Amino acid sequence: MELSQYTGMCSCGKCHHTDVEDILIGADVLEKVPSLVEKQKASKVFLLQDIYTQKAVQDRVTSLLTEHGIPYSEYTYKGTVVPDEYHVGKAMLHFDPSCDLIAVVGSGTLNDIGKIMASISGKPYIIIATAPSMDGFASASSSMIRDNLKVSISSVCPCVVVCDIDILKEAPLRMIQSGIGDIFAKYISICEWRISHVINGEYYCPKIADLIHTSLKSCAKHAEGLMQRDPKAIQAVTEGLVYAGIAMQLAGVSRPASGMEHYFSHIWDMRSVEFGTPHDFHGIQCAVATAACIDIYEQIKQLTPDEKVAKAYVQSFDPMRWQKDLKDFLGQSAVSMIELETKEKKYDVTKHAVRFEKIRSNWSEILQIIDQEIPSREEYRKLMQTIGLSGDYTKLGHSCLETRKTFIYSKDIRDKYIGSRLLWDLGRLEEVANSVF
């Protein structure tokens, strides 16, 4: 895919740009790392990895740098790496300031930490992927836990993305499933981006949405091959993940790649940190949450905006009760979400009235968007079965009651208009929550 067709001045009114200079996805591309380092005119490389990703590449990166006479310093995490302040701090404390390029061997958390390091140090950054597990390879943000709250932190985009299919196809199957699960989540994210454009006038770019649509179609087409680790299927998913990250940078927001389903995953992660409840790979959680979100949108399609119902619901909303319930469910991380509401004021009666009128006057268009973007319950569950996953959230260790509350509080995670916010505006949030969960 030629990225040039997506960059430059666009009919959406924005000039799209990406800082990614080189994307290498294919067989034996790991061998090109030294030439990519030289292209960046780096005199010394700081290499970040963990013991698992080091093993995945068979320590080949350090061997290649040595063979080509490229100096480097390295830090290897010895245990499980968590995307939090502690592990970012460990990496920064081991950073060699004489290095003028940061290279990470890994995916997910290591990639997020590497991007933050590059942002703090001002050094260019290369990601050498070891698993097709998530869509953040080429994005300019990092998904982190800060003060117990899962947040998206602005960082930097890598200048080079290296994805050697021979390495990626050997990744643990759960990580491969996570990758395509993160792609399947885009059914919801694009739908909600378009809905927010209609209701709130939020910026939307059809061209960027088309980039996501292309990735979705390719991944769905190759889903069956993933279970056999077919190189073509692995490449299709990897390309989809990389281009999803590119889409976020082109748009300047995370809208093209995350919506309500991501907030289910974020809440499960936050509760795991706070209370020790179960959590899984981000993409697995997103895939399962997408199944729940499809059920929610099926319910939304059966509704008709009713001003009396909406007004009565909003007027009965108790902010103090909301704060208490939120703290009970999420603990310390609820504090940041409550602070967000003091700035955002999404529960303001006047603001709600404006949104409701937009919803009512554009309801037929909203329903059309849902029909265009979201697959049927049967179609999606068939896709999930193809990749060996279930849409049953209880199999991830989450009860109906916990998942019901996760859905209700998904509206409070970020300043982003999603399905749970639409239902709050309609005055039908608990009604649909009780029906689905």
Side-chain angles (χ1 to χ4, degrees), residues 79-268:
T80 301
V81 185
V82 178
D84 59 12
E85 303 97 327
Y86 173 75
H87 287 87
V88 171
K90 287 195 76 171
M92 290 305 301
L93 285 173
H94 286 88
F95 178 66
D96 181 349
S98 68
C99 295
D100 50 9
L101 176 71
I102 295 171
V104 166
V105 177
S107 301
T109 297
L110 286 172
N111 180 49
D112 283 331
I113 291 174
K115 288 188 285 188
I116 289 176
M117 289 186 68
S119 178
I120 293 171
S121 66
K123 310 297 184 185
Y125 170 64
I126 291 177
I127 175 65
I128 302 163
T130 54
S133 57
M134 51 85 227
D135 65 5
F137 291 117
S139 73
S141 63
S142 296
S143 185
M144 305 296 292
I145 298 171
R146 183 179 64 193
D147 295 331
N148 295 318
L149 178 65
K150 196 70 179 285
V151 295
S152 181
I153 297 175
S154 179
S155 50
V156 297
C157 190
C159 55
V160 178
V161 179
V162 180
C163 302
D164 194 311
I165 299 303
D166 292 328
I167 293 170
L168 300 188
K169 69 183 180 64
E170 299 303 324
L173 182 59
R174 196 73 172 168
M175 298 185 80
I176 295 172
Q177 291 170 316
S178 176
I180 196 166
D182 208 353
I183 290 293
F184 286 166
K186 291 9 171 190
Y187 287 119
I188 306 299
S189 63
I190 295 297
C191 176
E192 292 179 335
W193 194 17
R194 291 182 63 188
I195 289 174
S196 184
H197 175 65
V198 170
I199 297 172
N200 302 302
E202 181 181 343
Y203 161 75
Y204 169 74
C205 177
K207 201 170 189 178
I208 293 174
D210 181 62
L211 178 57
I212 298 295
H213 287 143
T214 300
S215 296
L216 265 169
K217 289 176 184 176
S218 179
C219 288
K221 177 183 175 182
H222 290 91
E224 191 171 348
L226 279 182
M227 302 305 287
Q228 287 75 45
R229 300 178 184 271
D230 177 60
K232 289 183 180 178
I234 298 293
Q235 178 143 349
V237 171
T238 304
E239 288 174 349
L241 293 168
V242 171
Y243 290 125
I246 293 285
M248 285 188 273
Q249 191 182 27
L250 293 174
V253 290
S254 63
R255 266 296 191 185
S258 73
M260 181 164 60
E261 78 300 323
H262 268 60
Y263 295 170
F264 274 66
S265 179
H266 291 341
I267 287 175
W268 287 334

Side-chain angles (χ1 to χ4, degrees), residues 301-316:
K301 286 164 60 177
Q302 308 307 313
L303 302 176
T304 301
D306 185 317
E307 187 174 9
K308 288 184 180 179
V309 170
K311 277 188 175 180
Y313 181 84
V314 171
Q315 289 169 358
S316 68

Side-chain angles (χ1 to χ4, degrees), residues 319-331:
M320 298 307 295
R321 176 63 184 271
W322 165 72
Q323 290 186 23
K324 180 184 181 303
D325 290 347
L326 192 63
K327 288 176 181 177
D328 288 345
F329 187 60
L330 287 173

